[in-house]
Amino acid sequence: SRSGASAEAPRTPRHGRTVTSGPAWASRTAARVALLRERLDERPGVWTALLAATLVLAVIVSLGVGAAPLRVPEVPLALVSDLHPLHAVLWQVRLPRVVNAILVGASLAVAGTVMQTVVRNPLADPSLIGISAGAAVAALLGIVLSPAIALLLPWLALLGALGAATVVLLAAEAGTRMQGPLRIVLAGVAVQSILFACVALITFLFADRAPSFAGFTVGSLAGSGWREVRIVVLPALLGIAVALV
């Protein structure tokens, strides 16, 4: 129509340059973005460098955030100089939390990638097939039965996750009507529902320990130090290496 043609026609302002209207500008921008992404996909080293630079910047900024704020240019000096008033704070409080966050975040990212590859679904994550719920049930039972042994919780969570994954795989392999990733997802959703019901039941029966339950299920880096880094570093690096191989 005439109105549609006039809406998409370029406009020429007084200074002589052509200004493209909204739809044409959007299509040209989308084409440029697609071309840029295609060029970057051909150079994976660029993505690696960008992500590494972003990680370094995030570490520096996070080290400067806290009860005693620190400007970003002062962070390197505070790390290397014993005379800086926040040197001990950075090394004993903030840096261990940052290292723990990197290890945990990398582990979660690799776990999500492996899960998406297995079930062939870009939206999949370990909670989709009950792995997170299995770890939560085992850890909550550990908090109830042996709250004084904190080092036991990661191993119980690991056993619970492996148990949930085993049940899901066995349920997915049972029968011959439907095979493949979809069956794994459906079995995982069923197992996840049962395990989350167990989590709710444990929380209801032992409501006095709800803060400990919430701290584990939600996750927190508060109070973590180099001791927790030593606990996490070996399983995290080993799991990442096995997943990448």
Side-chain angles (χ1 to χ4, degrees):
S1 63
R2 183 178 299 177
S3 61
S6 61
E8 296 183 2
R11 297 170 303 183
T12 304
R14 294 180 180 178
H15 49 72
R17 292 193 308 171
T18 300
V19 179
T20 308
S21 61
W25 176 85
S27 61
R28 289 169 59 182
T29 303
R32 291 174 180 174
V33 171
L35 180 60
L36 178 61
R37 290 188 59 183
E38 182 179 352
R39 291 179 177 177
L40 289 177
D41 289 339
E42 296 174 355
R43 299 176 177 85
V46 176
W47 287 111
T48 303
L50 289 175
L51 292 175
T54 304
L55 177 62
V56 172
L57 179 61
V59 169
I60 295 175
V61 172
S62 61
L63 289 176
V65 176
L70 189 63
R71 293 186 302 174
V72 171
E74 297 181 6
V75 171
L77 178 62
L79 285 173
V80 300
S81 176
D82 296 341
L83 301 178
H84 196 281
L86 294 181
H87 178 79
V89 174
L90 291 185
W91 280 98
Q92 300 301 325
V93 179
R94 298 182 186 177
L95 190 58
R97 295 180 185 179
V98 171
V99 174
N100 269 321
I102 293 173
L103 292 173
V104 173
S107 300
L108 292 175
V110 172
T113 303
V114 171
M115 191 59 56
Q116 292 168 4
T117 304
V118 170
V119 302
R120 300 174 189 173
N121 188 336
L123 300 178
D125 62 81
S127 64
L128 180 66
I129 63 173
I131 292 179
S132 299
V137 170
L140 295 187
L141 290 177
I143 294 175
V144 171
L145 299 177
S146 58
I149 309 178
L151 292 178
L152 189 62
L153 294 183
W155 298 105
L156 289 176
L158 176 61
L159 293 177
L162 292 176
T166 302
V167 172
V168 169
L169 293 177
L170 291 177
E173 292 296 328
T176 57
R177 292 181 114 190
M178 181 176 54
Q179 300 291 339
L182 180 59
R183 191 178 181 92
I184 296 177
V185 172
L186 295 177
V189 170
V191 172
Q192 177 196 31
S193 301
I194 296 173
L195 293 176
F196 272 136
C198 295
V199 170
L201 179 62
I202 296 172
T203 305
F204 174 77
L205 294 177
F206 300 93
D208 57 323
R209 302 182 187 179
S212 299
F213 294 165
F216 181 85
T217 55
V218 176
S220 175
L221 295 174
S224 61
W226 292 115
R227 174 174 170 269
E228 285 73 19
V229 172
R230 288 190 292 269
I231 295 174
V232 173
V233 61
L234 182 59
L237 295 180
L238 182 61
I240 293 173
V242 171
L244 294 178
V245 172

Short mmCIF file of all heavy atoms in Angstrom, two decimals, residues 87-158:
data_model
loop_
_atom_site.label_atom_id
_atom_site.label_comp_id
_atom_site.label_asym_id
_atom_site.label_seq_id
_atom_site.Cartn_x
_atom_site.Cartn_y
_atom_site.Cartn_z
N HIS A 87 45.21 -5.73 53.04
CA HIS A 87 45.93 -6.89 52.49
C HIS A 87 45.43 -8.19 53.11
O HIS A 87 45.13 -9.16 52.40
CB HIS A 87 47.44 -6.73 52.75
CG HIS A 87 48.25 -7.89 52.28
ND1 HIS A 87 48.58 -8.08 50.96
CD2 HIS A 87 48.79 -8.94 52.97
CE1 HIS A 87 49.29 -9.19 50.84
NE2 HIS A 87 49.44 -9.72 52.05
N ALA A 88 45.34 -8.24 54.43
CA ALA A 88 44.88 -9.46 55.10
C ALA A 88 43.42 -9.76 54.78
O ALA A 88 43.03 -10.93 54.64
CB ALA A 88 45.08 -9.33 56.61
N VAL A 89 42.60 -8.73 54.66
CA VAL A 89 41.18 -8.94 54.34
C VAL A 89 41.03 -9.59 52.97
O VAL A 89 40.23 -10.52 52.78
CB VAL A 89 40.42 -7.60 54.40
CG1 VAL A 89 38.98 -7.78 53.92
CG2 VAL A 89 40.44 -7.04 55.81
N LEU A 90 41.81 -9.11 52.02
CA LEU A 90 41.71 -9.67 50.67
C LEU A 90 42.15 -11.14 50.64
O LEU A 90 41.48 -11.98 50.04
CB LEU A 90 42.57 -8.85 49.69
CG LEU A 90 42.09 -7.44 49.38
CD1 LEU A 90 42.97 -6.82 48.30
CD2 LEU A 90 40.65 -7.43 48.93
N TRP A 91 43.26 -11.45 51.30
CA TRP A 91 43.80 -12.79 51.22
C TRP A 91 43.06 -13.80 52.09
O TRP A 91 42.99 -14.99 51.75
CB TRP A 91 45.29 -12.78 51.59
CG TRP A 91 46.16 -12.34 50.46
CD1 TRP A 91 46.67 -11.10 50.26
CD2 TRP A 91 46.59 -13.15 49.36
NE1 TRP A 91 47.40 -11.07 49.09
CE2 TRP A 91 47.37 -12.32 48.53
CE3 TRP A 91 46.40 -14.48 49.01
CZ2 TRP A 91 47.96 -12.79 47.36
CZ3 TRP A 91 46.98 -14.94 47.85
CH2 TRP A 91 47.76 -14.11 47.03
N GLN A 92 42.52 -13.36 53.20
CA GLN A 92 41.89 -14.29 54.14
C GLN A 92 40.36 -14.36 54.01
O GLN A 92 39.77 -15.34 54.46
CB GLN A 92 42.25 -13.91 55.58
CG GLN A 92 43.73 -13.93 55.86
CD GLN A 92 44.36 -15.30 55.62
OE1 GLN A 92 43.74 -16.33 55.85
NE2 GLN A 92 45.61 -15.30 55.14
N VAL A 93 39.75 -13.35 53.43
CA VAL A 93 38.28 -13.31 53.38
C VAL A 93 37.77 -13.28 51.94
O VAL A 93 37.00 -14.17 51.54
CB VAL A 93 37.74 -12.07 54.15
CG1 VAL A 93 36.21 -12.03 54.07
CG2 VAL A 93 38.20 -12.13 55.60
N ARG A 94 38.19 -12.31 51.18
CA ARG A 94 37.57 -12.11 49.86
C ARG A 94 38.13 -13.04 48.79
O ARG A 94 37.36 -13.59 47.99
CB ARG A 94 37.74 -10.65 49.43
CG ARG A 94 37.06 -9.66 50.36
CD ARG A 94 37.20 -8.22 49.87
NE ARG A 94 36.66 -7.28 50.86
CZ ARG A 94 36.69 -5.98 50.73
NH1 ARG A 94 37.23 -5.43 49.65
NH2 ARG A 94 36.19 -5.19 51.67
N LEU A 95 39.43 -13.20 48.73
CA LEU A 95 40.02 -14.04 47.68
C LEU A 95 39.56 -15.50 47.76
O LEU A 95 39.26 -16.09 46.72
CB LEU A 95 41.54 -13.94 47.72
CG LEU A 95 42.27 -14.56 46.52
CD1 LEU A 95 41.81 -13.92 45.22
CD2 LEU A 95 43.78 -14.41 46.69
N PRO A 96 39.49 -16.12 48.95
CA PRO A 96 38.97 -17.49 48.99
C PRO A 96 37.54 -17.61 48.45
O PRO A 96 37.21 -18.58 47.77
CB PRO A 96 39.04 -17.85 50.47
CG PRO A 96 40.05 -16.94 51.04
CD PRO A 96 39.95 -15.68 50.27
N ARG A 97 36.70 -16.62 48.75
CA ARG A 97 35.33 -16.67 48.23
C ARG A 97 35.31 -16.55 46.71
O ARG A 97 34.53 -17.23 46.03
CB ARG A 97 34.51 -15.54 48.86
CG ARG A 97 34.33 -15.68 50.35
CD ARG A 97 33.50 -14.54 50.91
NE ARG A 97 33.40 -14.60 52.36
CZ ARG A 97 32.75 -13.72 53.10
NH1 ARG A 97 32.14 -12.70 52.51
NH2 ARG A 97 32.70 -13.85 54.41
N VAL A 98 36.18 -15.69 46.17
CA VAL A 98 36.24 -15.54 44.72
C VAL A 98 36.70 -16.83 44.06
O VAL A 98 36.15 -17.27 43.05
CB VAL A 98 37.16 -14.36 44.36
CG1 VAL A 98 37.41 -14.33 42.85
CG2 VAL A 98 36.55 -13.05 44.81
N VAL A 99 37.72 -17.47 44.63
CA VAL A 99 38.23 -18.72 44.07
C VAL A 99 37.15 -19.80 44.15
O VAL A 99 36.94 -20.57 43.20
CB VAL A 99 39.51 -19.16 44.80
CG1 VAL A 99 39.96 -20.53 44.31
CG2 VAL A 99 40.62 -18.14 44.59
N ASN A 100 36.45 -19.88 45.27
CA ASN A 100 35.36 -20.84 45.39
C ASN A 100 34.27 -20.57 44.37
O ASN A 100 33.71 -21.50 43.77
CB ASN A 100 34.76 -20.77 46.80
CG ASN A 100 35.41 -21.73 47.76
OD1 ASN A 100 35.74 -22.86 47.38
ND2 ASN A 100 35.60 -21.32 48.99
N ALA A 101 33.95 -19.30 44.17
CA ALA A 101 32.92 -18.95 43.18
C ALA A 101 33.33 -19.37 41.77
O ALA A 101 32.52 -19.87 40.99
CB ALA A 101 32.65 -17.45 43.23
N ILE A 102 34.62 -19.20 41.44
CA ILE A 102 35.10 -19.60 40.12
C ILE A 102 35.01 -21.12 39.95
O ILE A 102 34.54 -21.62 38.92
CB ILE A 102 36.53 -19.11 39.91
CG1 ILE A 102 36.56 -17.58 39.84
CG2 ILE A 102 37.14 -19.70 38.65
CD1 ILE A 102 37.96 -16.99 39.80
N LEU A 103 35.45 -21.86 40.96
CA LEU A 103 35.42 -23.31 40.87
C LEU A 103 33.99 -23.85 40.78
O LEU A 103 33.68 -24.70 39.94
CB LEU A 103 36.13 -23.92 42.08
CG LEU A 103 37.64 -23.70 42.16
CD1 LEU A 103 38.18 -24.20 43.48
CD2 LEU A 103 38.35 -24.39 41.00
N VAL A 104 33.12 -23.32 41.63
CA VAL A 104 31.73 -23.78 41.62
C VAL A 104 31.04 -23.38 40.33
O VAL A 104 30.31 -24.17 39.72
CB VAL A 104 30.98 -23.22 42.85
CG1 VAL A 104 29.49 -23.56 42.77
CG2 VAL A 104 31.57 -23.80 44.13
N GLY A 105 31.26 -22.14 39.89
CA GLY A 105 30.63 -21.70 38.65
C GLY A 105 31.10 -22.49 37.44
O GLY A 105 30.29 -22.86 36.58
N ALA A 106 32.39 -22.78 37.38
CA ALA A 106 32.91 -23.59 36.27
C ALA A 106 32.32 -25.00 36.30
O ALA A 106 31.96 -25.56 35.25
CB ALA A 106 34.43 -23.64 36.32
N SER A 107 32.21 -25.57 37.49
CA SER A 107 31.64 -26.92 37.60
C SER A 107 30.18 -26.94 37.17
O SER A 107 29.75 -27.85 36.45
CB SER A 107 31.76 -27.40 39.05
OG SER A 107 33.12 -27.44 39.47
N LEU A 108 29.41 -25.95 37.60
CA LEU A 108 28.01 -25.88 37.19
C LEU A 108 27.87 -25.68 35.69
O LEU A 108 26.98 -26.26 35.05
CB LEU A 108 27.30 -24.76 37.95
CG LEU A 108 27.12 -24.97 39.46
CD1 LEU A 108 26.51 -23.73 40.10
CD2 LEU A 108 26.25 -26.18 39.73
N ALA A 109 28.73 -24.84 35.11
CA ALA A 109 28.67 -24.61 33.67
C ALA A 109 28.97 -25.88 32.89
O ALA A 109 28.26 -26.22 31.92
CB ALA A 109 29.65 -23.51 33.29
N VAL A 110 30.00 -26.62 33.31
CA VAL A 110 30.34 -27.86 32.61
C VAL A 110 29.25 -28.90 32.81
O VAL A 110 28.88 -29.62 31.86
CB VAL A 110 31.70 -28.39 33.12
CG1 VAL A 110 31.99 -29.78 32.56
CG2 VAL A 110 32.82 -27.44 32.71
N ALA A 111 28.69 -28.98 34.02
CA ALA A 111 27.60 -29.94 34.26
C ALA A 111 26.39 -29.62 33.37
O ALA A 111 25.77 -30.53 32.80
CB ALA A 111 27.19 -29.91 35.73
N GLY A 112 26.05 -28.35 33.25
CA GLY A 112 24.94 -27.98 32.38
C GLY A 112 25.21 -28.30 30.93
O GLY A 112 24.32 -28.77 30.20
N THR A 113 26.45 -28.07 30.48
CA THR A 113 26.80 -28.37 29.09
C THR A 113 26.72 -29.86 28.81
O THR A 113 26.19 -30.29 27.77
CB THR A 113 28.22 -27.85 28.79
OG1 THR A 113 28.28 -26.45 29.05
CG2 THR A 113 28.59 -28.12 27.35
N VAL A 114 27.23 -30.67 29.73
CA VAL A 114 27.15 -32.13 29.56
C VAL A 114 25.70 -32.59 29.53
O VAL A 114 25.31 -33.42 28.70
CB VAL A 114 27.93 -32.83 30.69
CG1 VAL A 114 27.69 -34.33 30.66
CG2 VAL A 114 29.41 -32.54 30.57
N MET A 115 24.87 -32.04 30.42
CA MET A 115 23.47 -32.44 30.46
C MET A 115 22.76 -32.05 29.17
O MET A 115 21.95 -32.81 28.62
CB MET A 115 22.79 -31.79 31.66
CG MET A 115 21.41 -32.35 31.94
SD MET A 115 21.46 -34.12 32.28
CE MET A 115 22.62 -34.17 33.64
N GLN A 116 23.02 -30.87 28.65
CA GLN A 116 22.40 -30.44 27.40
C GLN A 116 22.84 -31.32 26.24
O GLN A 116 22.05 -31.60 25.33
CB GLN A 116 22.76 -28.98 27.12
CG GLN A 116 22.13 -28.00 28.09
CD GLN A 116 22.72 -26.61 27.98
OE1 GLN A 116 23.56 -26.36 27.12
NE2 GLN A 116 22.29 -25.72 28.86
N THR A 117 24.09 -31.77 26.27
CA THR A 117 24.56 -32.66 25.21
C THR A 117 23.92 -34.03 25.30
O THR A 117 23.54 -34.63 24.28
CB THR A 117 26.10 -32.79 25.28
OG1 THR A 117 26.69 -31.49 25.22
CG2 THR A 117 26.63 -33.64 24.15
N VAL A 118 23.76 -34.54 26.51
CA VAL A 118 23.21 -35.88 26.68
C VAL A 118 21.75 -35.95 26.25
O VAL A 118 21.34 -36.86 25.51
CB VAL A 118 23.36 -36.33 28.15
CG1 VAL A 118 22.58 -37.61 28.42
CG2 VAL A 118 24.83 -36.54 28.49
N VAL A 119 20.95 -34.99 26.70
CA VAL A 119 19.52 -35.02 26.40
C VAL A 119 19.18 -34.24 25.13
O VAL A 119 18.01 -34.17 24.75
CB VAL A 119 18.70 -34.49 27.58
CG1 VAL A 119 18.97 -35.29 28.82
CG2 VAL A 119 19.01 -33.02 27.84
N ARG A 120 20.18 -33.62 24.50
CA ARG A 120 19.99 -32.87 23.26
C ARG A 120 18.92 -31.78 23.42
O ARG A 120 18.02 -31.63 22.59
CB ARG A 120 19.60 -33.81 22.12
CG ARG A 120 20.64 -34.88 21.85
CD ARG A 120 20.17 -35.87 20.84
NE ARG A 120 21.06 -37.01 20.73
CZ ARG A 120 20.80 -38.09 19.99
NH1 ARG A 120 19.68 -38.17 19.30
NH2 ARG A 120 21.66 -39.09 19.95
N ASN A 121 19.06 -31.05 24.49
CA ASN A 121 18.12 -29.97 24.78
C ASN A 121 18.92 -28.79 25.32
O ASN A 121 19.56 -28.90 26.36
CB ASN A 121 17.09 -30.42 25.82
CG ASN A 121 15.98 -29.40 26.00
OD1 ASN A 121 16.16 -28.22 25.73
ND2 ASN A 121 14.83 -29.85 26.47
N PRO A 122 18.91 -27.64 24.63
CA PRO A 122 19.71 -26.50 25.09
C PRO A 122 19.21 -25.88 26.38
O PRO A 122 19.90 -25.03 26.96
CB PRO A 122 19.60 -25.50 23.92
CG PRO A 122 18.34 -25.87 23.22
CD PRO A 122 18.22 -27.35 23.36
N LEU A 123 18.03 -26.28 26.86
CA LEU A 123 17.48 -25.74 28.10
C LEU A 123 17.67 -26.69 29.28
O LEU A 123 17.22 -26.40 30.39
CB LEU A 123 15.99 -25.43 27.93
CG LEU A 123 15.63 -24.40 26.85
CD1 LEU A 123 14.13 -24.23 26.77
CD2 LEU A 123 16.31 -23.07 27.12
N ALA A 124 18.32 -27.81 29.07
CA ALA A 124 18.46 -28.82 30.13
C ALA A 124 19.49 -28.39 31.16
O ALA A 124 20.42 -27.65 30.87
CB ALA A 124 18.86 -30.16 29.52
N ASP A 125 19.32 -28.88 32.38
CA ASP A 125 20.28 -28.67 33.46
C ASP A 125 20.16 -29.86 34.41
O ASP A 125 19.22 -30.65 34.31
CB ASP A 125 20.02 -27.35 34.18
CG ASP A 125 18.66 -27.30 34.84
OD1 ASP A 125 18.50 -27.86 35.93
OD2 ASP A 125 17.73 -26.72 34.25
N PRO A 126 21.11 -30.02 35.34
CA PRO A 126 21.09 -31.20 36.23
C PRO A 126 19.81 -31.33 37.05
O PRO A 126 19.45 -32.45 37.44
CB PRO A 126 22.31 -30.98 37.12
CG PRO A 126 23.24 -30.18 36.29
CD PRO A 126 22.37 -29.26 35.48
N SER A 127 19.14 -30.23 37.33
CA SER A 127 17.89 -30.35 38.09
C SER A 127 16.76 -30.93 37.26
O SER A 127 15.76 -31.38 37.82
CB SER A 127 17.48 -28.98 38.63
OG SER A 127 17.19 -28.09 37.57
N LEU A 128 16.90 -30.94 35.94
CA LEU A 128 15.82 -31.41 35.09
C LEU A 128 15.58 -32.90 35.25
O LEU A 128 14.44 -33.36 35.18
CB LEU A 128 16.15 -31.09 33.62
CG LEU A 128 15.12 -31.52 32.58
CD1 LEU A 128 13.84 -30.73 32.75
CD2 LEU A 128 15.67 -31.32 31.17
N ILE A 129 16.62 -33.67 35.49
CA ILE A 129 16.44 -35.12 35.59
C ILE A 129 16.69 -35.62 37.01
O ILE A 129 17.00 -36.79 37.22
CB ILE A 129 17.36 -35.87 34.60
CG1 ILE A 129 18.82 -35.62 34.91
CG2 ILE A 129 17.05 -35.48 33.18
CD1 ILE A 129 19.75 -36.46 34.07
N GLY A 130 16.56 -34.74 37.99
CA GLY A 130 16.58 -35.17 39.37
C GLY A 130 17.93 -35.27 40.03
O GLY A 130 18.01 -35.69 41.20
N ILE A 131 19.01 -34.90 39.35
CA ILE A 131 20.34 -35.03 39.95
C ILE A 131 20.49 -34.07 41.13
O ILE A 131 20.98 -34.44 42.20
CB ILE A 131 21.42 -34.79 38.89
CG1 ILE A 131 21.41 -35.93 37.86
CG2 ILE A 131 22.79 -34.68 39.52
CD1 ILE A 131 22.42 -35.77 36.77
N SER A 132 20.06 -32.83 40.94
CA SER A 132 20.15 -31.85 42.03
C SER A 132 19.26 -32.25 43.20
O SER A 132 19.64 -32.10 44.37
CB SER A 132 19.75 -30.47 41.52
OG SER A 132 20.62 -30.05 40.50
N ALA A 133 18.08 -32.76 42.90
CA ALA A 133 17.18 -33.19 43.98
C ALA A 133 17.74 -34.38 44.74
O ALA A 133 17.63 -34.46 45.97
CB ALA A 133 15.80 -33.54 43.40
N GLY A 134 18.39 -35.31 44.04
CA GLY A 134 19.02 -36.45 44.73
C GLY A 134 20.14 -36.01 45.64
O GLY A 134 20.27 -36.50 46.77
N ALA A 135 20.95 -35.06 45.17
CA ALA A 135 22.01 -34.53 46.02
C ALA A 135 21.43 -33.82 47.23
O ALA A 135 21.96 -33.93 48.35
CB ALA A 135 22.88 -33.57 45.21
N ALA A 136 20.34 -33.09 47.04
CA ALA A 136 19.72 -32.37 48.17
C ALA A 136 19.17 -33.32 49.21
O ALA A 136 19.34 -33.10 50.42
CB ALA A 136 18.61 -31.46 47.64
N VAL A 137 18.51 -34.38 48.79
CA VAL A 137 17.96 -35.35 49.75
C VAL A 137 19.06 -35.99 50.57
O VAL A 137 18.97 -36.08 51.81
CB VAL A 137 17.15 -36.43 49.00
CG1 VAL A 137 16.79 -37.58 49.94
CG2 VAL A 137 15.89 -35.83 48.41
N ALA A 138 20.14 -36.42 49.92
CA ALA A 138 21.23 -37.06 50.64
C ALA A 138 21.91 -36.09 51.60
O ALA A 138 22.24 -36.44 52.74
CB ALA A 138 22.25 -37.63 49.65
N ALA A 139 22.10 -34.85 51.16
CA ALA A 139 22.75 -33.86 52.03
C ALA A 139 21.87 -33.49 53.22
O ALA A 139 22.37 -33.33 54.34
CB ALA A 139 23.10 -32.62 51.22
N LEU A 140 20.57 -33.36 53.00
CA LEU A 140 19.67 -33.04 54.12
C LEU A 140 19.63 -34.17 55.14
O LEU A 140 19.59 -33.92 56.35
CB LEU A 140 18.26 -32.75 53.60
CG LEU A 140 18.11 -31.52 52.70
CD1 LEU A 140 16.64 -31.26 52.40
CD2 LEU A 140 18.75 -30.30 53.31
N LEU A 141 19.67 -35.39 54.67
CA LEU A 141 19.74 -36.51 55.61
C LEU A 141 21.05 -36.47 56.39
O LEU A 141 21.09 -36.80 57.58
CB LEU A 141 19.62 -37.83 54.84
CG LEU A 141 18.24 -38.14 54.26
CD1 LEU A 141 18.28 -39.44 53.46
CD2 LEU A 141 17.19 -38.23 55.37
N GLY A 142 22.13 -36.07 55.72
CA GLY A 142 23.39 -35.93 56.43
C GLY A 142 23.34 -34.84 57.48
O GLY A 142 23.90 -34.99 58.57
N ILE A 143 22.67 -33.73 57.18
CA ILE A 143 22.52 -32.66 58.17
C ILE A 143 21.71 -33.13 59.36
O ILE A 143 22.00 -32.78 60.52
CB ILE A 143 21.88 -31.42 57.51
CG1 ILE A 143 22.83 -30.83 56.47
CG2 ILE A 143 21.52 -30.37 58.55
CD1 ILE A 143 22.23 -29.69 55.67
N VAL A 144 20.72 -33.95 59.12
CA VAL A 144 19.86 -34.45 60.20
C VAL A 144 20.59 -35.48 61.05
O VAL A 144 20.54 -35.44 62.29
CB VAL A 144 18.56 -35.03 59.62
CG1 VAL A 144 17.76 -35.76 60.70
CG2 VAL A 144 17.72 -33.93 59.00
N LEU A 145 21.27 -36.41 60.39
CA LEU A 145 21.86 -37.54 61.11
C LEU A 145 23.23 -37.23 61.70
O LEU A 145 23.57 -37.74 62.78
CB LEU A 145 21.96 -38.75 60.17
CG LEU A 145 20.63 -39.25 59.60
CD1 LEU A 145 20.86 -40.40 58.63
CD2 LEU A 145 19.70 -39.69 60.74
N SER A 146 24.03 -36.42 61.01
CA SER A 146 25.37 -36.13 61.51
C SER A 146 25.71 -34.67 61.23
O SER A 146 26.53 -34.38 60.35
CB SER A 146 26.41 -37.04 60.87
OG SER A 146 26.37 -36.91 59.47
N PRO A 147 25.08 -33.75 61.93
CA PRO A 147 25.33 -32.33 61.65
C PRO A 147 26.73 -31.86 62.01
O PRO A 147 27.18 -30.84 61.50
CB PRO A 147 24.27 -31.62 62.52
CG PRO A 147 23.99 -32.57 63.63
CD PRO A 147 24.12 -33.94 63.03
N ALA A 148 27.42 -32.59 62.86
CA ALA A 148 28.75 -32.15 63.30
C ALA A 148 29.83 -32.45 62.27
O ALA A 148 30.92 -31.88 62.34
CB ALA A 148 29.11 -32.79 64.64
N ILE A 149 29.56 -33.34 61.33
CA ILE A 149 30.57 -33.74 60.35
C ILE A 149 30.28 -33.01 59.04
O ILE A 149 29.58 -33.52 58.15
CB ILE A 149 30.58 -35.27 60.14
CG1 ILE A 149 30.67 -35.99 61.49
CG2 ILE A 149 31.74 -35.68 59.26
CD1 ILE A 149 30.63 -37.49 61.38
N ALA A 150 30.80 -31.81 58.91
CA ALA A 150 30.51 -31.01 57.72
C ALA A 150 31.19 -31.57 56.47
O ALA A 150 30.66 -31.44 55.36
CB ALA A 150 30.96 -29.57 57.95
N LEU A 151 32.34 -32.20 56.63
CA LEU A 151 33.05 -32.74 55.47
C LEU A 151 32.30 -33.90 54.83
O LEU A 151 32.60 -34.27 53.69
CB LEU A 151 34.45 -33.20 55.88
CG LEU A 151 35.43 -32.09 56.29
CD1 LEU A 151 36.75 -32.69 56.71
CD2 LEU A 151 35.65 -31.12 55.14
N LEU A 152 31.35 -34.47 55.55
CA LEU A 152 30.60 -35.60 55.00
C LEU A 152 29.55 -35.16 53.98
O LEU A 152 29.16 -35.95 53.11
CB LEU A 152 29.93 -36.36 56.15
CG LEU A 152 29.27 -37.71 55.83
CD1 LEU A 152 30.32 -38.68 55.32
CD2 LEU A 152 28.58 -38.26 57.07
N LEU A 153 29.10 -33.92 54.06
CA LEU A 153 28.00 -33.46 53.20
C LEU A 153 28.33 -33.51 51.70
O LEU A 153 27.49 -33.97 50.91
CB LEU A 153 27.58 -32.05 53.61
CG LEU A 153 26.95 -31.91 55.00
CD1 LEU A 153 26.52 -30.48 55.23
CD2 LEU A 153 25.76 -32.85 55.15
N PRO A 154 29.50 -33.04 51.26
CA PRO A 154 29.77 -33.12 49.81
C PRO A 154 29.75 -34.54 49.28
O PRO A 154 29.25 -34.79 48.17
CB PRO A 154 31.16 -32.49 49.67
CG PRO A 154 31.30 -31.61 50.87
CD PRO A 154 30.58 -32.32 51.97
N TRP A 155 30.27 -35.49 50.06
CA TRP A 155 30.29 -36.87 49.60
C TRP A 155 28.89 -37.47 49.60
O TRP A 155 28.54 -38.24 48.69
CB TRP A 155 31.23 -37.70 50.48
CG TRP A 155 32.65 -37.21 50.42
CD1 TRP A 155 33.32 -36.49 51.35
CD2 TRP A 155 33.55 -37.38 49.32
NE1 TRP A 155 34.59 -36.20 50.92
CE2 TRP A 155 34.76 -36.73 49.69
CE3 TRP A 155 33.46 -37.99 48.08
CZ2 TRP A 155 35.86 -36.70 48.83
CZ3 TRP A 155 34.56 -37.96 47.22
CH2 TRP A 155 35.75 -37.32 47.61
N LEU A 156 28.08 -37.12 50.59
CA LEU A 156 26.70 -37.59 50.58
C LEU A 156 25.93 -37.00 49.40
O LEU A 156 25.13 -37.70 48.75
CB LEU A 156 26.02 -37.19 51.89
CG LEU A 156 26.46 -37.95 53.15
CD1 LEU A 156 25.77 -37.39 54.39
CD2 LEU A 156 26.16 -39.44 53.00
N ALA A 157 26.17 -35.73 49.11
CA ALA A 157 25.51 -35.11 47.96
C ALA A 157 25.93 -35.80 46.66
O ALA A 157 25.10 -36.02 45.77
CB ALA A 157 25.83 -33.62 47.92
N LEU A 158 27.21 -36.14 46.56
CA LEU A 158 27.68 -36.83 45.36
C LEU A 158 27.01 -38.20 45.22
O LEU A 158 26.56 -38.58 44.13
CB LEU A 158 29.20 -36.99 45.42
CG LEU A 158 29.84 -37.79 44.29
CD1 LEU A 158 29.59 -37.12 42.95
CD2 LEU A 158 31.34 -37.95 44.53
#
